[in-house]
């Protein structure tokens, strides 16, 4: 199937590893030009090198801290100047710190607001003027199954990711007339460093190994396993493509059936 992604320019945030990296890899497979961004210079350069070697094409990397609106603005100015205007924005971020209501500080709340919600709003604001002129654009936010079913001990994720899908739905209503779609992907348990970090915390609490905790997570899901980053990236790539042109304002789970509700 031709996804008609050849020649488009995508910006994927938080892409040095995990879901962001897999997305960059899959989009490059489809001929998309990609700019990848992350806060860690060594990691993002290593990721860019890996992608370049694999696809034998240039990939552009930018160091940007998604916890800082100034860093986002300056990085985006650089992207625009050096690589051009963005057709596809994949808003990803590092996971906010785990914790329940009693354990979180004011600083945790303020940081998670910028990291999860405000950064995605700012990036949408930066890419939209050109998408409107071109009358084509894709904005895809990576959220979590926590937007449909809150996860214990992930108070910040449960709160701000739900805010993000509210924003995305409202924005999709406003920009549909420009042929711009805005959608959210909600991963379930996905084997990346984020999952290993969460599994470690739970394993320590239970006095079991991290491997056993990951196995337990997998067994709790109807498909009886945790997912892989490329299984999330497949949906993101489809949503970025021409074939998803009539899907907007949607939140689609890739969770092995973990969410218990019918919608
Ligand atoms: P990951 O840990 O593999 O990758 C996180 C990426 O975020 C890295 O590239 C890292 O450099 C980048 N990053 C972290 N802080 C940053 C910052 N301040 N500025 C810029 N970049 C930053 O994580 P992942 O599993 O790929 O998760 C991606 C997103 O999906 C996260 O928000 C995570 O919470 C969410 N999610 C993951 C799972 C899962 O099971 N893995 C499930 C649901 C939701």
């Amino acid at each position: 199937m031709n996804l008609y992604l050849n020649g488009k320019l995508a910006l994927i945030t938080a892409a040095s590893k995990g879901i962001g990296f897999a997305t960059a890899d899959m989009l490059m497979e489809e001929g998309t030009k990609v700019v990848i961004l992350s806060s860690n210079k060594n990691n993002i350069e290593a990721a860019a090198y890996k992608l370049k070697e694999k696809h034998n094409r240039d990939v552009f990397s930018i160091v940007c801290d998604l916890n800082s609106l100034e860093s986002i603005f300056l990085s985006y100015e650089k992207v625009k100047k050096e690589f051009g205007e963005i057709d596809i924005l994949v808003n990803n971020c590092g996971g906010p710190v785990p914790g329940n209501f009693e354990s979180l500080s004011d600083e945790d709340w303020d940081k998670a607001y910028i990291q999860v919600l405000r950064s995605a709003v700012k990036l949408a604001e930066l890419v939209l003027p050109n998408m409107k002129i071109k009358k084509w654009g894709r904005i895809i936010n990576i959220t979590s199954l926590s937007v449909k079913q809150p996860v214990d001990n992930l108070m910040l994720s449960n709160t701000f990711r739900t805010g993000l899908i509210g924003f995305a739905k409202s924005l999709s209503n406003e920009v549909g007339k420009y042929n711009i779609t805005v959608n959210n992907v909600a991963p379930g348990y996905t084997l990346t460093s984020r999952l290993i970090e969460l599994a470690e915390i739970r394993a320590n609490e239970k006095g079991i190994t991290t491997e056993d905790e990951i196995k337990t997570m997998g067994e709790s899901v109807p498909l009886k396993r945790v997912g892989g980053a490329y299984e999330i990236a497949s949906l993101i790539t489809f949503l970025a493509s021409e074939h998803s042109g009539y899907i907007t304002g949607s939140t689609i789970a890739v969770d092995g059936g973990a969410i218990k509700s019918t919608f």
Side-chain angles (χ1 to χ4, degrees):
M1 180 161 70
N2 185 347
L3 295 179
Y4 301 98
L5 283 164
N6 201 359
K8 300 268 193 229
L9 180 62
L11 172 63
I12 305 134
T13 65
S16 69
K17 51 189 176 165
I19 295 167
F21 179 83
T23 302
D25 190 3
M26 280 195 125
L27 286 173
M28 283 190 82
E29 196 73 50
E30 296 301 323
T32 313
K33 289 183 277 179
V34 306
V35 179
I36 55 173
L37 165 166
S38 165
S39 52
N40 185 304
K41 187 172 188 294
N42 289 342
N43 289 353
I44 199 69
E45 284 176 358
Y49 180 78
K50 235 191 262 175
L51 291 170
K52 204 169 170 175
E53 287 287 290
K54 179 170 175 188
H55 298 282
N56 204 19
R57 278 197 297 127
D58 263 344
V59 48
F60 309 107
S61 64
I62 286 259
V63 178
C64 168
D65 180 5
L66 293 170
N67 291 322
S68 153
L69 292 184
E70 194 192 356
S71 176
I72 293 170
F73 179 77
L74 293 176
S75 305
Y76 188 73
E77 285 293 296
K78 215 189 265 177
V79 170
K80 211 162 73 170
K81 193 163 155 235
E82 294 185 23
F83 313 121
E85 299 276 5
I86 297 298
D87 304 299
I88 299 159
L89 169 65
V90 180
N91 268 325
N92 187 30
C93 67
V97 288
N100 60 21
F101 184 62
E102 305 235 315
S103 71
L104 297 167
S105 65
D106 282 349
E107 200 191 341
D108 293 332
W109 279 96
D110 292 347
K111 196 171 160 195
Y113 161 66
I114 306 268
Q115 184 183 18
V116 177
L117 177 56
R118 192 66 183 91
S119 65
V121 173
K122 176 51 78 185
L123 280 159
E125 187 188 307
L126 292 169
V127 299
L128 274 168
N130 176 62
M131 290 180 176
K132 285 182 182 169
I133 291 168
K134 280 195 179 165
K135 291 224 171 330
W136 198 96
R138 299 282 187 261
I139 297 177
I140 302 151
N141 303 308
I142 313 310
T143 64
S144 165
L145 60 69
S146 68
V147 300
K148 298 206 180 194
Q149 183 172 291
V151 178
D152 287 349
N153 208 41
L154 291 187
M155 173 62 85
L156 295 172
S157 175
N158 298 340
T159 303
F160 291 112
R161 292 189 195 282
T162 314
L164 181 56
I165 65 164
F167 163 71
K169 184 71 182 168
S170 310
L171 185 65
S172 72
N173 291 336
E174 293 184 17
V175 300
K177 58 178 176 275
Y178 302 105
N179 193 30
I180 299 165
T181 66
V182 188
N183 291 293
N184 311 298
V185 172
Y189 294 131
T190 311
L191 192 55
T192 63
S193 55
R194 166 73 172 169
L195 186 80
I196 294 168
E197 182 195 320
L198 292 177
E200 245 164 30
I201 296 171
R202 290 191 193 173
N204 286 339
E205 282 164 10
K206 293 180 187 173
I208 60 173
T209 65
T210 305
E211 289 71 29
D212 280 345
E213 177 55 25
I214 292 174
K215 221 183 272 170
T216 307
M217 286 172 165
E219 277 158 11
S220 72
V221 170
L223 284 179
K224 298 295 167 207
R225 62 177 178 86
V226 298
Y230 283 82
E231 292 179 295
I232 314 297
S234 298
L235 176 63
I236 300 167
T237 303
F238 174 73
L239 288 173
S241 79
E242 207 57 55
H243 291 285
S244 70
Y246 203 56
I247 303 175
T248 195
S250 289
T251 300
I252 306 172
V254 185
D255 67 344
I259 295 170
K260 301 269 187 266
S261 66
T262 47
F263 289 97

